[in-house]
């Protein structure tokens, strides 16, 4: 919807719905408006203080700044609300339990922000911890998750079951 010369960033979707990833072209005005709105909405729930932050993904998702996935853009958008972010997954998508436990212990007594995509929170955190019979003490933790509901529905997990198990 903007001239090609105005495009400053291209995001790509996961392609879950139609198997063909969508490409989202952003101009400077749209990118700026998205950032402003995200800050206003998030600060309403999180406050203005930057919180210790666990990102339920791996750091490789955000490496290419010019051509990034919608997942990477979501992480970077939320990262502005965090302080000293910790990526809970390794590049091979395995949970860094030791690092996560150390990070949680270091932030004990403080509110903490956790961000991830719904299906990834389910598959790479909740199910891993349940298989091991482990629970995390995240009193004061705020989980923000988005996307991934189609994959969760395919796994026969509804929003109520997700909330209960989280």
């Amino acid at each position: 919807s903007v001239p090609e010369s105005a495009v400053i960033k291209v995001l790509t979707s996961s392609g879950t719905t139609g198997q063909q990833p969508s490409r989202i072209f952003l101009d400077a005005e749209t990118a700026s408006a998205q950032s402003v709105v995200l800050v206003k909405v998030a600060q309403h729930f999180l406050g203005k203080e930057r919180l210790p932050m666990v990102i339920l993904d791996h750091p490789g998702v955000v490496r290419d700044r010019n051509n990034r996935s919608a997942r990477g853009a979501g992480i970077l958008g939320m990262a502005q609300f965090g302080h000293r972010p910790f990526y809970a997954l390794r590049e091979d998508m395995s949970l860094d339990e030791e690092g996560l436990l150390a990070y949680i212990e270091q932030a004990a007594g403080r509110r903490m922000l956790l961000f991830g995509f719904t299906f990834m929170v389910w598959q790479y955190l909740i199910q891993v911890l349940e298989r091991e019979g482990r629970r995390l003490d995240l009193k004061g933790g705020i989980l923000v998750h988005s996307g991934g509901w189609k994959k969760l529905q395919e796994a026969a997990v509804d929003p109520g079951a997700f909330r209960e198990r989280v």
Side-chain angles (χ1 to χ4, degrees), residues 6 31 34 39 42-43 46 64 69 71 79 84 93 96 102 108 111 120 126 128 130 136-137 142 148 150 161:
Q34 286 180 334
V39 167
Q43 283 183 345
L46 302 174
D64 184 357
S69 67
R71 194 167 113 201
R84 294 183 320 98
M93 302 301 285
D96 178 0
R111 288 181 17 182
M120 294 178 64
I126 304 305
V128 169
E130 284 182 349
L136 299 177
D137 182 5
I142 302 165
K150 287 181 197 112

Side-chain angles (χ1 to χ4, degrees), residues 84-141:
R84 294 183 320 98
F86 173 76
Y87 286 85
L89 301 181
R90 298 181 187 95
E91 299 282 333
D92 68 358
M93 302 301 285
S94 63
L95 181 62
D96 178 0
E97 264 186 84
E98 187 176 308
L100 179 58
L101 292 171
Y103 188 85
I104 291 169
E105 185 177 312
Q106 190 174 46
R110 295 190 60 197
R111 288 181 17 182
M112 181 184 307
L113 174 61
L114 296 95
F115 175 74
F117 292 87
T118 307
F119 184 71
M120 294 178 64
V121 170
W122 179 259
Q123 182 173 343
Y124 299 111
L125 180 68
I126 304 305
Q127 288 193 315
V128 169
L129 293 172
E130 284 182 349
R131 274 194 302 272
E132 295 177 2
R134 297 189 70 138
R135 296 181 64 112
L136 299 177
D137 182 5
L138 293 168
K139 288 186 182 96

Side-chain angles (χ1 to χ4, degrees), residues 2-11 24-35 64-68:
V2 297
E4 194 171 319
S5 61
V7 174
I8 62 162
K9 203 178 289 184
V10 179
L11 306 177
I24 301 109
F25 300 91
L26 294 178
D27 63 345
E29 182 181 352
T30 303
S32 175
Q34 286 180 334
S35 293
D64 184 357
R65 287 205 172 271
N66 294 322
N67 192 14
R68 95 166 19 107

